[in-house]
Amino acid sequence: MVRIAICAPGKPLKRDRADAVEALVAGRDDVSLHFHDQCFIHDGHFAGSDPVRLAALLECANDPAFDAVWFAMGGYGSNRIAAQAITQMDDAANAKSYLGYSDTGFLLAALYKHGIGRVAHGPLAGDIKHEGGAKTIERALDWLKGGEAGLEPHLDNRPAVAFNLTTLAMLVGTDLAPDLAGHVVMVEEVAEHLYAVDRLFFHVTQHLRGIAGLRLGRIGQVPQNDRPFGTDEVAIAQDWCARSGIPYLGRAEIGHDAANRIVPFGLEARAPRA
């Protein structure tokens, strides 16, 4: 039995989504879920104030009764508590798996930088909302149990990481950012104009020299601009990689959607759970 604690470092989770996820695992003996009450708090944009969200994260991470911490939702906020969280995590936190994406990439990065736990970019609990969301949740649970069926298919013998592009652009150059030299970096984005994607790549690639290469995930729900940008997301990524001397490695099976595959950070996190 893998015991999974769920908290919301950014925005709150809707109760019906938690109910739907719990219904998937009802009566099962391979996983158990505990949704922290903090997931459902509404405090402006956030699932509780910074101290409330920090406390919930630490309760989940430092409780030896749990094997994993699964992030409920993205939404801005995890960067506001990540540095404090890292300094207060203990040996129990170090033994856990951590799974999420989008804004929770700030926490994933900080955990990876400090060698805490087994970290991966992959579905959030709230992704049950997507069409086909049940399969998305099962993919996440499989990895949290130690499975490999949901891994991103282009992983090779090099360490990899994955981030939302906006999150990575805000992360690089900060104290939360890990050293990504020699890594394959995968990025995805949602609901940004192509000119904004271009601008994000301009910034990000300045900080990624020395990586093994970049893979481009899905750039979804691109808004209609008042004029066409004149090129697509692949050409944008290829252009900025070429300008920065970064190998462009092709596409990646990640995105803000039900098909989002799992990218463990580094090589050790790919090993099955003991």
Side-chain angles (χ1 to χ4, degrees):
M1 173 78 73
V2 175
R3 300 153 299 176
I4 303 167
I6 302 168
C7 61
K11 70 180 182 181
L13 176 69
K14 293 182 178 179
R15 181 75 66 170
D16 63 339
R17 295 178 188 174
D19 292 342
V21 175
E22 288 185 319
L24 284 178
V25 303
R28 288 168 53 166
D29 60 6
D30 57 340
V31 294
S32 67
L33 304 180
H34 169 72
F35 284 89
H36 196 289
D37 289 342
Q38 171 269 328
C39 290
F40 311 107
I41 295 174
H42 289 258
D43 186 354
H45 171 88
F46 303 106
S49 65
D50 288 357
V52 166
R53 300 194 324 281
L54 175 62
L57 171 60
L58 290 172
E59 286 172 19
C60 293
N62 291 339
D63 189 339
F66 297 116
D67 304 300
V69 175
W70 190 14
F71 298 129
M73 293 294 292
Y76 177 69
S78 73
N79 62 306
R80 296 170 61 94
I81 62 174
Q84 291 172 280
I86 292 299
T87 64
Q88 298 178 57
M89 289 183 174
D90 61 18
D91 289 344
N94 190 54
K96 287 180 172 56
S97 299
Y98 298 84
L99 182 65
Y101 74 106
S102 191
D103 185 81
T104 67
F106 289 107
L107 277 169
L108 300 178
L111 289 163
Y112 184 53
K113 176 177 182 176
H114 291 275
I116 298 173
R118 176 176 173 257
V119 178
H121 173 288
L124 300 157
D127 283 339
I128 190 71
K129 67 182 180 180
H130 295 300
E131 183 177 353
K135 290 183 178 179
T136 308
I137 298 304
E138 291 293 353
R139 186 182 312 125
L141 294 176
D142 177 73
W143 185 79
L144 290 168
K145 291 187 299 177
E148 300 178 344
L151 294 183
E152 205 283 333
H154 300 98
L155 295 171
D156 56 24
N157 61 356
R158 296 171 292 187
V161 295
F163 292 98
N164 168 259
L165 182 58
T166 297
T167 300
L168 182 58
M170 298 299 103
L171 172 70
V172 292
T174 73
D175 290 340
L176 300 178
D179 180 3
L180 298 179
H183 288 63
V184 173
V185 177
M186 304 185 189
V187 294
E188 54 80 25
E189 190 51 86
V190 65
E192 293 285 354
H193 290 89
L194 286 178
Y195 69 79
V197 172
D198 189 80
R199 183 168 56 207
L200 290 165
F201 267 110
F202 155 70
H203 178 70
V204 162
T205 52
Q206 304 301 302
H207 294 268
L208 294 182
R209 292 187 175 96
I211 67 171
L214 183 138
R215 282 192 174 274
L216 179 66
R218 288 178 289 279
I219 308 296
Q221 302 176 37
V222 176
Q224 189 74 29
N225 196 24
D226 61 352
R227 73 204 71 177
F229 185 65
T231 187
D232 64 15
E233 64 270 25
V234 173
I236 290 169
Q238 290 174 329
D239 178 38
W240 287 109
C241 283
R243 294 184 190 214
S244 301
I246 294 170
Y248 176 76
L249 303 176
R251 303 307 299 265
E253 292 295 325
I254 61 171
H256 266 66
D257 52 42
N260 189 23
R261 301 293 286 271
I262 293 167
V263 180
F265 281 28
L267 296 175
E268 290 184 7
R270 296 186 207 170
R273 278 177 51 88

